[in-house]
Amino acid sequence: MTELIAFGVLSFTTFFTIINPLGVMPIFMTMTSDLDKESRKATAKKAILASFVTIILFAFTGQILFKFFGISVNSFRVVGGIIFFLMGMDMLQARLGKVKVQESEIKTYVNDISITPLAIPMICGPGAITNAIVLMEDAGSVEMQAVLIGAIVLVMVLTLAILLSAGKIIKILGPTGNNVLMRLMGLIIMVIAIEFFLSGFKPIFQDIIAGR
């Protein structure tokens, strides 16, 4: 029992730290600022569902898929870093805040941003995918696998609750505050993107130099 509790705490803390819902929230706010309450809620739910399915899928089949397609986690980091950087550039220039979504396009817009970039790579990025694969390998019994899945569900529920509270924060900040927050987060995301890119590119480059 003690081992299960320790594994559960480890699973929860690592996933919550890696996913960082408080860091995702400002980006979610800026990208859904022109949507009504129901559309924003639908976006959050679809993003969480897509993230959960992706994490569970990789947890059970990650090693098989990686070997089959010849994909490395470092490649995920490189691509994720590029996506983050481009997104941060748009946020820094307040481009996301200027996007006006027509009523006829809301459904398509919600479907688009809920999958990319909110679900992948923001909520379910290379870190979360890698963590799921590693922890599933460490789970030596059905009970530990159940604890891992439970921890993932708990983190996703908390993330959803945080994203759904973003609407109140948008009203408090107003257009000016939202713009300032978006530019600030854009700068931070660009810095994170560089670190993300380098953490993936460095081992790839070392392998190339070593002639592997």
Side-chain angles (χ1 to χ4, degrees), residues 22 34 48 53 85 101 139 142 163 201:
L22 295 176
D34 289 328
I48 293 299
V53 171
F85 187 85
V101 184
V142 176
L163 293 184
F201 180 76

Side-chain angles (χ1 to χ4, degrees), residues 166-182:
K168 297 178 181 178
I169 299 175
I170 289 176
K171 291 182 180 179
I172 294 173
L173 290 176
T176 302
N178 197 44
N179 239 358
V180 171
L181 182 62
M182 179 173 60

Side-chain angles (χ1 to χ4, degrees), residues 20-90:
N20 187 17
L22 295 176
V24 175
M25 186 181 68
I27 299 161
F28 174 78
M29 287 167 53
T30 58
M31 298 192 76
T32 61
S33 58
D34 289 328
L35 300 180
D36 56 39
K37 184 178 180 180
E38 291 303 315
S39 297
R40 191 179 299 119
K41 186 183 296 184
T43 303
K45 288 181 178 179
K46 288 182 180 180
I48 293 299
L49 179 60
S51 300
F52 176 74
V53 171
T54 303
I55 288 176
I56 294 298
L57 177 66
F58 273 98
F60 283 98
T61 65
Q63 288 291 347
I64 299 173
L65 289 174
F66 277 20
K67 290 178 181 178
F68 181 80
F69 290 106
I71 301 172
S72 69
V73 175
N74 291 322
S75 299
F76 266 85
R77 289 194 179 100
V78 170
V79 174
I82 293 172
I83 293 174
F84 274 17
F85 187 85
L86 295 175
M87 188 193 318
M89 183 88 73
D90 283 344

Side-chain angles (χ1 to χ4, degrees), residues 30-198:
T30 58
M31 298 192 76
T32 61
S33 58
D34 289 328
L35 300 180
D36 56 39
K37 184 178 180 180
E38 291 303 315
S39 297
R40 191 179 299 119
K41 186 183 296 184
T43 303
K45 288 181 178 179
K46 288 182 180 180
I48 293 299
L49 179 60
S51 300
F52 176 74
V53 171
T54 303
I55 288 176
I56 294 298
L57 177 66
F58 273 98
F60 283 98
T61 65
Q63 288 291 347
I64 299 173
L65 289 174
F66 277 20
K67 290 178 181 178
F68 181 80
F69 290 106
I71 301 172
S72 69
V73 175
N74 291 322
S75 299
F76 266 85
R77 289 194 179 100
V78 170
V79 174
I82 293 172
I83 293 174
F84 274 17
F85 187 85
L86 295 175
M87 188 193 318
M89 183 88 73
D90 283 344
M91 291 176 68
L92 190 63
Q93 298 175 17
R95 289 178 184 170
L96 293 178
K98 295 177 182 179
V99 175
K100 298 296 180 183
V101 184
Q102 301 298 324
E103 191 171 343
S104 60
E105 299 174 345
I106 285 179
K107 186 175 181 180
T108 302
Y109 181 75
V110 167
N111 289 333
D112 286 345
I113 68 169
S114 61
I115 303 301
T116 304
L118 289 178
I120 305 170
M122 297 208 56
I123 298 174
C124 176
I129 290 174
T130 305
N131 195 49
I133 295 173
V134 172
L135 288 179
M136 185 57 75
E137 288 184 345
D138 292 342
S141 65
V142 176
E143 289 80 7
M144 293 183 75
Q145 291 179 352
V147 168
L148 174 59
I149 294 173
I152 295 172
V153 170
L154 180 56
V155 171
M156 288 299 167
V157 169
L158 289 175
T159 303
L160 177 61
I162 291 172
L163 293 184
L164 291 180
S165 68
K168 297 178 181 178
I169 299 175
I170 289 176
K171 291 182 180 179
I172 294 173
L173 290 176
T176 302
N178 197 44
N179 239 358
V180 171
L181 182 62
M182 179 173 60
R183 291 175 186 270
L184 178 62
M185 289 306 300
L187 182 62
I188 294 174
I189 284 197
M190 288 176 74
V191 174
I192 294 174
I194 296 297
E195 294 292 334
F196 219 50
F197 178 87
L198 291 178

Side-chain angles (χ1 to χ4, degrees), residues 74 199-212:
N74 291 322
S199 68
F201 180 76
K202 184 178 179 180
I204 293 175
F205 182 73
Q206 290 175 338
D207 286 345
I208 293 174
I209 295 297
R212 296 179 186 175

